């Protein structure tokens, strides 16, 4: 297993190459989402461009979709259409990360491309100025799929000292968390914070507020950066809602949502109207809110039951929570606590917009 010492040594060895002159060229890392909700990437060389690249400036590329579960072997080319560009925190300089949509050879979005339809919804309902914030929980595992800091045989002490904990025996792998935070800031990801969670080796970071389709783009880029940094430390990242059996809180991807109307004085009536609509489509939301979510939404450990819709003020045992501050002011936002940590942010934000404002 890689250690912090080996990571430091490797980083020092790499550093002398990172400072080499690229002679007017840049490296562009194209990133996409595969059939299992993971990220993939590959690199290409481009000419350095004054002022930098926008998505429209970048060439469409392709990859072998039969090797990622996104296409059959006899018709395997899937195209990568750039949609967002970020500075590269690994290669530095003018090198870039290129988030891309997957397009089939007939010009239609690949069946695992959930961004395409969500972008349409965001554009159609742009007048509402939808703001999203997502809270991504995850667990750091060793190469044997065991959470860091857990005894080799058995379980750690019950939850209590770990949430927002400080000190040895309470938190582990803070170096990965700090590296990820810095990398997100460098790349321009709208990361707004991070904290240790209720289970040892479980952490959370928050992204937002983001406007419209930007939410999914920034959350996916943050996920890519987390996996890429953990790779450097010889660690794995699990976004499974219940990676280890036991009496622990499951991992979620809570979604904070507001519109222009909700954020203005008197906005509570718009919040309540939206929540009423969400309740009428509870099962449709659960269907896209992540796999194995029934292991998490049990009605215990600060969750609502998966087969029941509920809401309340400052109640983390409900499907929807209205923060107490917002209830007191009469405007603000609400939190959808149902999405699992492995849910696709494009699907989460898309169905919220569809339920509140209608399909396109």
């Amino acid at each position: 297993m890689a250690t912090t010492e080996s990571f430091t040594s490797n980083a020092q060895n790499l550093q002398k190459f990172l400072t080499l002159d690229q002679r007017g060229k840049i490296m562009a890392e194209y990133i996409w989402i595969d059939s299992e909700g993971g990220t993939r990437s590959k690199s290409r060389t481009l000419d350095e461009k004054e002022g930098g690249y926008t998505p429209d400036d970048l060439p469409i590329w392709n990859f072998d979709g039969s090797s990622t579960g996104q296409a059959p072997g006899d018709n395997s080319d899937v195209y990568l259409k750039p949609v967002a560009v970020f500075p590269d925190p690994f290669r530095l300089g003018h090198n870039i990360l290129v988030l891309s949509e997957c397009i089939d050879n007939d010009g239609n979005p690949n069946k695992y491309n959930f961004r395409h339809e969500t972008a349409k919804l965001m554009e159609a309902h742009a007048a509402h100025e939808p703001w999203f914030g997502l809270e991504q929980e995850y667990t750091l595992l060793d190469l044997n799929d065991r959470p860091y800091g857990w005894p080799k045989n058995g379980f750690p002490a019950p939850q209590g000292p770990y949430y927002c904990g400080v000190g040895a025996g309470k938190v582990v792998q803070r170096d990965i968390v700090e590296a990820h935070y810095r990398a997100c800031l460098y790349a321009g990801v709208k990361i707004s914070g991070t904290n240790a969670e209720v289970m040892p080796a479980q952490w959370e970071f928050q992204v937002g507020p983001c406007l419209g389709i930007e939410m999914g783009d920034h959350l996916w880029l943050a996920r890519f950066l987390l996996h890429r940094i953990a790779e450097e430390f010889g660690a794995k990242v699990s976004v499974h809602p219940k990676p280890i059996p036991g009496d622990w809180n499951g991992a979620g991807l809570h979604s904070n949502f507001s519109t222009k109307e909700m954020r203005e004085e008197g906005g509570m009536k718009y919040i309540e109207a939206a929540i009423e609509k969400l309740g009428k489509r509870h099962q449709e939301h659960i269907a896209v809110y992540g796999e194995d979510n029934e292991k998490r939404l049990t009605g215990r450990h600060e969750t609502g039951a998966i087969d029941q819709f509920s809401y309340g003020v400052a109640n983390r045992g409900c499907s929807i929570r209205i923060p107490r501050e917002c209830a007191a002011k009469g405007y603000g936002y609400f939190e959808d606590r149902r999405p699992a940590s492995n849910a696709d942010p494009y699907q989460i934000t898309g169905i919220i917009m569809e339920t509140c404002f209608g399909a396109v």
Side-chain angles (χ1 to χ4, degrees):
M1 183 189 305
T3 64
T4 302
E5 289 76 15
S6 65
F7 167 77
T8 302
S9 175
N10 291 338
Q12 290 172 344
N13 289 334
L14 179 61
Q15 188 62 39
K16 59 187 176 184
F17 297 103
L18 291 177
T19 58
L20 293 176
D21 186 0
Q22 295 181 201
R23 298 182 179 276
K25 303 291 184 180
I26 69 164
M27 291 175 279
E29 190 78 9
Y30 278 57
I31 302 163
W32 72 96
I33 301 140
D34 66 17
S35 62
E36 296 182 350
T39 53
R40 308 270 183 140
S41 73
K42 64 176 186 173
S43 307
R44 70 179 297 168
T45 303
L46 299 173
D47 291 327
E48 190 171 333
K49 182 176 182 291
E50 186 176 354
Y53 282 90
T54 68
D56 291 340
D57 298 328
L58 289 162
I60 291 175
W61 205 9
N62 64 75
F63 66 94
D64 172 15
S66 69
S67 295
T68 63
Q70 292 172 271
D74 61 354
N75 190 13
S76 63
D77 284 356
V78 178
Y79 294 100
L80 292 170
K81 178 186 176 184
V83 294
V85 181
F86 300 85
D88 188 335
F90 305 107
R91 292 167 171 157
L92 306 177
H94 297 292
N95 302 300
I96 55 176
L97 303 176
V98 182
L99 187 66
S100 304
E101 280 192 25
C102 295
I103 306 295
D104 289 335
N105 61 3
D106 60 3
N108 291 315
N110 186 264
K111 69 177 181 177
Y112 300 104
N113 176 356
F114 302 119
R115 185 186 191 278
H116 186 81
E117 291 302 318
T118 296
K120 289 183 180 179
L121 283 161
M122 296 300 180
E123 184 176 359
H125 303 304
H128 295 285
E129 297 181 16
W131 287 6
F132 294 91
L134 290 177
E135 303 171 14
Q136 176 72 70
E137 295 177 333
Y138 62 94
T139 306
L140 292 169
L141 310 176
D142 64 25
L143 296 183
N144 295 314
D145 294 328
R146 187 73 173 166
Y148 278 100
W150 283 42
K152 290 184 178 179
N153 299 302
F155 296 87
Q159 63 186 52
Y162 313 115
Y163 173 69
C164 297
V166 178
K170 297 178 182 178
V171 296
V172 293
Q173 302 301 101
R174 193 185 291 274
D175 46 1
I176 293 177
V177 175
E178 290 292 315
H180 175 248
Y181 203 160
R182 291 293 188 96
C184 284
L185 291 173
Y186 179 92
V189 172
K190 291 186 175 179
I191 187 169
S192 50
T194 187
N195 60 269
E197 266 299 334
V198 298
M199 186 182 82
Q202 188 183 71
W203 289 84
E204 174 189 301
F205 65 86
Q206 305 90 33
V207 176
C210 293
L211 177 63
I213 197 64
E214 180 184 61
M215 182 70 258
D217 292 347
H218 282 235
L219 198 282
W220 271 115
L221 202 282
R223 282 179 171 177
F224 167 80
L225 292 175
L226 180 59
H227 283 275
R228 178 69 176 75
I229 288 166
E231 169 194 320
E232 298 274 4
F233 285 83
K236 292 183 179 181
V237 178
S238 173
V239 292
H240 191 278
K242 203 78 171 180
I244 298 292
D247 194 28
W248 302 97
N249 286 27
L253 183 60
H254 301 157
S255 175
N256 300 293
F257 174 68
S258 71
T259 62
K260 179 181 179 182
E261 300 88 351
M262 295 176 189
R263 296 188 294 270
E264 295 175 345
E265 189 170 345
M268 188 55 64
K269 66 180 180 181
Y270 296 101
I271 291 174
E272 292 173 344
I275 292 173
E276 183 178 356
K277 291 178 180 179
L278 293 173
K280 293 176 180 178
R281 299 190 73 207
H282 178 63
Q283 291 306 321
E284 288 91 334
H285 281 250
I286 292 297
V288 298
Y289 274 5
E291 296 182 6
D292 294 324
N293 209 8
E294 72 281 355
K295 297 178 181 178
R296 171 180 161 266
L297 295 181
T298 61
R300 299 176 64 241
H301 298 307
E302 300 182 347
T303 68
I306 195 168
D307 59 349
Q308 299 173 9
F309 181 83
S310 59
Y311 72 95
V313 175
N315 188 345
R316 284 176 163 78
C318 288
S319 307
I320 305 293
R321 179 181 69 93
I322 300 173
R324 188 172 300 283
E325 179 186 4
C326 296
K329 292 190 303 184
Y331 61 92
Y333 69 96
F334 64 84
E335 176 190 43
D336 189 341
R337 298 181 57 79
R338 296 172 293 173
S341 50
N342 58 6
D344 188 302
Y346 296 130
Q347 289 188 292
I348 295 171
T349 57
I351 198 169
I352 289 175
M353 292 297 290
E354 180 182 279
T355 296
C356 291
F357 304 114
V360 175

